[in-house]
Amino acid sequence: MTNSKLKEIAAQFKIEGTVRDVKQLGEGFINDTFIIETSDDAPNYILQRKNKNIFSPIPAMMENIYKVTSHIKKKIIEAGGDPMREAMTVTEAKDGKLYFLDEEEEYWAVCPFIDETIAYEAAETPELAYAGGKGIGKFQSMVSDLNEPLTDILPGFHNIRFRFKQWDEVLAKDPVGRKAEVAEEIEWIESRREEMLNFWKLVEDGTIPTRVTHNDTKINNILFDKKGEVLCVIDLDTVLNSTILNDFGDAMRYYTNTGLEDDTNLDNVSMDMEIFKAFTKGYLEETASFITDIEKEYLAFSAKYITYEQVLRFLMDYIDGDNYYKVKSPEHNLIRTKAQYKLLTSMEEQFDEMQKVVKELSA
Ligand code: GN1
Ligand code: MG
């Protein structure tokens, strides 16, 4: 994508000021992200090419984001806060749509860049994890009374029954002949299949309630202000109706890992109990007004559930020939599989203690 093309796309949106430059930002697994730099006092903006192979349909996804952010903004205004800093904003295209469709049928969306914020790549301290727990808890609390349904633009996301269906299909096909080489890793998945399905049945039969959830609660999806307080939850592509346990579990998969998601040195990878404790404390403080006993009972389990799901998804993508996640090497998805499995086993070893922590904090 040439720079002038990017500037042309930026010009399709209702942005303040004049566009000075558009530059690539980070390297997401799914979308392509750019920053629109404007001149003068106007804010900068984030421009994203949304991945239509994953989120479908994109216009419905943007509607979901709009519903959620509008609802949150109302709450922030009621509380006397700043709705432009404490919530994400969808910047409309000049024709009033929430996205721009280019001539290659690619979807683009823009939001203002919130400046003077910090995004952390890792939960380095319990204090940070505590703040993160409060951030996710507060997000869920603010949307807990959003009664409009969201469109399911990611059918089966964090639904292990659906993942097993994909898994069984990919294994039956073995499209690139990688299956034989990962027999041991496949067994990691198979040996826990029933345990995971038993949990999901409780969501399917309504024992565990379905609510509005974020579904991608890694720490860098929260912006902190300079005082270390949570300002705003971002990356709302995956807002869905699901169980709040998925948000908690995914955060724990990310925050408590002492290593990297794709660490090649498995000795680095383990679950940090102090981080688990701190996040859970913050989370339970903010969700106290609506969280039910059954949800609390499965909080610790949800960390294992989502980590397991991630092992499955990385391994499945490896066997499938790397079609979903962007990879930096042919082995990348297998490296991720092994590192996430190490994290899962560390959680399993510490599970009794995790349960105890949740019990004590919710007493
Ligand atoms: C993807 O693109 P990113 O980093 O926001 C994925 C998550 C995975 C994560 C693995 C829509 O998120 O579910 O947990 O990679 N998002 C989607 O790091 O599949
Ligand atoms: Mg994301």
Side-chain angles (χ1 to χ4, degrees):
M1 176 81 34
T2 64
N3 191 260
S4 68
K5 189 94 208 163
L6 286 166
K7 282 186 187 163
E8 250 174 61
I9 291 164
Q12 303 300 320
F13 290 86
K14 292 181 188 168
I15 58 180
E16 288 172 43
T18 40
V19 175
R20 192 154 38 87
D21 205 358
V22 183
K23 292 178 181 151
Q24 173 121 20
L25 191 71
E27 32 181 335
F29 289 6
I30 310 276
N31 298 318
D32 296 301
T33 305
F34 305 87
I35 181 153
I36 303 173
E37 294 177 348
T38 58
S39 10
D40 318 317
D41 296 339
N44 290 335
Y45 292 82
I46 299 288
L47 169 70
Q48 276 192 319
R49 175 167 46 204
K50 300 290 188 180
N51 191 325
K52 64 178 176 189
N53 298 324
I54 292 179
F55 308 112
S56 175
I58 302 280
M61 174 177 93
M62 295 308 299
E63 275 301 326
N64 286 348
I65 299 175
Y66 186 77
K67 276 184 197 166
V68 167
T69 52
S70 309
H71 187 81
I72 292 177
K73 279 175 193 293
K74 264 192 269 160
K75 298 267 159 110
I76 291 167
I77 293 166
E78 276 163 27
D82 179 349
M84 290 306 287
R85 286 187 66 74
E86 294 170 40
M88 212 204 97
T89 306
V90 179
T91 302
E92 290 177 2
K94 285 185 173 153
D95 62 3
K97 292 207 176 80
L98 303 174
Y99 57 86
F100 168 69
L101 183 63
D102 72 12
E103 57 286 346
E104 278 142 46
E105 308 265 302
E106 294 291 343
Y107 288 92
W108 297 83
V110 166
C111 62
F113 179 80
I114 305 172
D115 62 4
E116 304 207 17
T117 58
I118 309 166
Y120 294 94
E121 287 306 316
E124 283 138 22
T125 63
E127 289 72 32
L128 202 53
Y130 172 72
K134 284 183 79 92
I136 295 303
K138 192 173 166 202
F139 173 84
Q140 289 183 348
S141 171
M142 285 194 288
V143 292
S144 64
D145 61 345
L146 172 63
N147 292 321
E148 287 172 82
L150 303 175
T151 306
D152 191 3
I153 49 96
L154 274 172
F157 202 61
H158 296 328
N159 169 343
I160 210 68
R161 191 184 299 284
F162 172 78
R163 294 300 176 192
F164 283 134
K165 193 169 160 278
Q166 292 182 313
W167 166 261
D168 291 337
E169 280 166 16
V170 168
L171 262 67
K173 263 200 213 139
D174 190 18
V176 288
R178 281 173 169 175
K179 193 173 127 182
E181 141 212 353
V182 290
E184 187 189 335
E185 289 81 359
I186 290 173
E187 195 42 36
W188 297 343
I189 299 302
E190 294 299 344
S191 61
R192 293 166 177 84
R193 190 192 274 249
E194 213 181 296
E195 180 191 7
M196 299 300 158
L197 273 172
N198 282 341
F199 163 73
W200 195 251
K201 278 183 199 151
L202 300 174
V203 177
E204 290 171 327
D205 71 15
T207 307
I208 294 174
T210 292
R211 306 176 186 277
V212 177
T213 52
H214 182 281
N215 292 293
D216 192 7
T217 47
K218 58 181 93 172
I219 194 164
N220 60 10
N221 277 339
I222 287 184
L223 299 180
F224 292 81
D225 67 16
K226 296 264 159 80
K227 291 176 284 177
E229 302 282 332
V230 169
L231 191 63
C232 168
V233 174
I234 55 169
D235 189 4
L236 303 180
D237 292 351
T238 51
V239 285
L240 295 168
N241 293 114
S242 184
T243 158
I244 54 169
L245 295 172
N246 291 339
D247 282 356
F248 180 88
D250 204 21
M252 291 303 83
R253 176 182 79 79
Y254 204 83
Y255 281 69
T256 68
N257 190 352
T258 53
L260 302 174
E261 191 178 64
D262 60 354
D263 222 305
T264 47
N265 181 358
L266 295 180
D267 291 338
N268 291 340
V269 179
S270 65
M271 199 223 47
D272 186 321
M273 189 59 86
E274 286 313 305
I275 299 288
F276 178 81
K277 220 182 258 177
F279 184 96
T280 306
K281 185 169 188 294
Y283 179 79
L284 286 172
E285 283 174 13
E286 293 291 333
T287 53
S289 65
F290 68 90
I291 195 169
T292 57
D293 287 345
I294 187 90
E295 288 167 316
K296 285 188 230 168
E297 193 181 322
Y298 280 92
L299 270 187
F301 185 83
S302 74
K304 290 199 292 185
Y305 176 82
I306 292 286
T307 307
Y308 171 87
E309 185 206 88
Q310 198 63 65
V311 178
L312 184 156
R313 290 174 67 197
F314 283 145
L315 182 57
M316 178 165 73
D317 200 34
Y318 180 72
I319 297 169
D320 197 34
D322 309 316
N323 291 311
Y324 191 90
Y325 292 110
K326 290 182 191 162
V327 288
K328 289 184 183 152
S329 71
E331 302 293 300
H332 201 173
N333 270 319
L334 188 57
I335 292 167
R336 288 167 172 153
T337 301
K338 290 179 180 167
Q340 289 284 288
Y341 180 68
K342 174 71 197 298
L343 179 63
L344 174 62
T345 56
S346 175
M347 287 174 174
E348 288 175 342
E349 281 157 20
Q350 301 181 78
F351 188 60
D352 291 345
E353 182 64 23
M354 289 162 77
Q355 291 272 62
K356 222 173 103 197
V357 164
V358 175
K359 256 218 167 94
E360 280 168 12
L361 289 172
S362 40

